[in-house]
Amino acid sequence: MTSDLTLPPVAAPYLLPFHYGALHNVGLDYLVAPGPVRKTLAEHHPDLTAADFGGRACVTLNYQLYFAQYPNGGGVTQEIEYSIVAHPTASADRLARLSYEEYARGHDQTKLLGIARLHVLCDNPLAIEAGTKLYGEPKYPASFEVTMPSLNGPGGESWHIACHQAANTPSGDGADRRAASPLFSFDADLTELPRVPVNNTPITGYGTDPDGRPLAGPMNVYQPYQYLPLATQTADRVRLTVHDASSPVGADLLTLIGDAPAAGAWTYQSPPVAAHNRPYYVPRMS
């Protein structure tokens, strides 16, 4: 076991930590056969070991819509992380034996169980560059079509997330939707399903830099997530569809998840900070 006591450099012009002004997030966990997961993880992150939840591995998809404020304005970003729940092999002796339900409820206080990213699809070139340079993320352009719960929309809690392959626009300030083709999508109708608030952050995100060194970057969320266990009778409320099986992410989704049902969902939506109310008539002078 080797240890590097220095911190990874922070590439200019970025500053850390990166502060989110608002975050809307839905994640889906799948418990699957461990063999293909271990093989894929070894190819992407050889210093990590897949978590063992009663003989099953866990792969996870999470969609994020977030806002960030900068000195010269603001920006909105969408991305999906497709990951394997894993831990550093060299730290295995620090981990307690946990069930998936205990992990999902935030019982791993070492925070060594994190997300080893396989694919990160994103519609913001600046976020792609930052994620790649700072955290060793395998991050590339995508565009999204989204329907999600909102206080500015109808009731219910239905998510529809469609991810499309894309290229950067010629100006480099976004994803070119004209070049988009569908990769995969998922639907999650979580309306009226039981949920429990969980303290599961910081979430440790794992990457590997160009020199092959593993990186870990924790992300704090300052309010509880909502965890929804998906029992057998409710698992059909979630559906994953691969539209392009020949794409790298589509092939990995089919290999690792296939037709496995979702074992759990988790959501976070930033609370509103202001409301512009309904107008009223002002009396006129007669």
Side-chain angles (χ1 to χ4, degrees):
M1 180 176 67
T2 60
S3 177
D4 188 345
L5 299 179
T6 63
L7 290 172
V10 177
Y14 302 106
L15 300 173
L16 292 178
F18 173 76
H19 294 278
Y20 294 69
L23 172 66
H24 298 271
N25 190 191
V26 60
L28 302 173
D29 292 340
Y30 294 84
L31 296 177
V32 297
V37 171
R38 291 169 183 157
K39 180 177 184 293
T40 301
L41 186 63
E43 294 169 355
H44 290 262
H45 304 290
D47 290 289
L48 301 179
T49 294
D52 182 351
F53 297 120
R56 309 294 280 176
C58 182
V59 295
T60 182
L61 279 165
N62 84 81
Y63 164 80
Q64 302 174 26
L65 166 67
Y66 57 88
F67 168 78
Q69 181 263 332
Y70 304 100
N72 58 347
V76 177
T77 299
Q78 298 180 93
E79 63 182 64
I80 288 179
E81 296 176 314
Y82 175 45
S83 310
I84 294 169
V85 177
H87 61 82
T89 303
S91 301
D93 59 349
R94 293 182 54 203
L95 280 167
R97 187 176 297 109
L98 298 175
S99 67
Y100 164 72
E101 289 76 15
E102 289 171 326
Y103 159 76
R105 285 169 167 80
H107 290 194
D108 171 31
Q109 291 305 306
T110 70
K111 300 307 177 185
L112 290 170
L113 288 177
I115 54 171
R117 301 177 179 99
L118 303 179
H119 302 275
V120 182
L121 303 105
C122 179
D123 67 357
N124 184 326
L126 184 65
I128 293 172
E129 181 183 70
T132 302
K133 289 185 175 180
L134 297 174
Y135 297 108
E137 298 179 22
K139 202 164 188 174
Y140 49 95
S143 65
F144 301 89
E145 294 178 3
V146 174
T147 303
M148 59 189 292
S150 171
L151 292 176
N152 295 320
E157 193 177 354
S158 293
W159 301 75
H160 169 74
I161 312 295
C163 180
H164 298 257
Q165 183 177 9
N168 289 332
T169 59
S171 64
D173 60 358
D176 187 353
R177 295 181 60 84
R178 295 173 300 175
S181 59
L183 292 173
F184 64 94
S185 61
F186 63 84
D187 295 88
D189 180 8
L190 308 179
T191 306
E192 297 182 349
L193 290 182
R195 79 254 344 262
V196 59
V198 295
N199 174 28
N200 62 341
T201 68
I203 297 170
T204 302
Y206 289 113
T208 299
D209 75 6
D211 296 324
R213 292 174 296 184
L215 298 173
M219 177 179 168
N220 289 298
V221 178
Y222 298 140
Q223 298 292 330
Y225 268 85
Q226 298 294 315
Y227 166 61
L228 297 91
L230 295 175
T232 303
Q233 66 268 28
T234 57
D236 61 354
R237 302 280 288 269
V238 173
R239 184 176 68 255
L240 171 65
T241 304
V242 174
H243 301 286
D244 185 355
S246 65
S247 66
V249 66
D252 274 350
L253 287 168
L254 289 174
T255 299
L256 302 188
I257 296 178
D259 58 0
W266 37 280
T267 68
Y268 177 86
Q269 290 196 271
S270 290
V273 297
H276 199 164
N277 297 311
R278 182 171 179 172
Y280 58 91
Y281 289 113
V282 176
R284 300 171 67 182
M285 297 292 294
S286 58

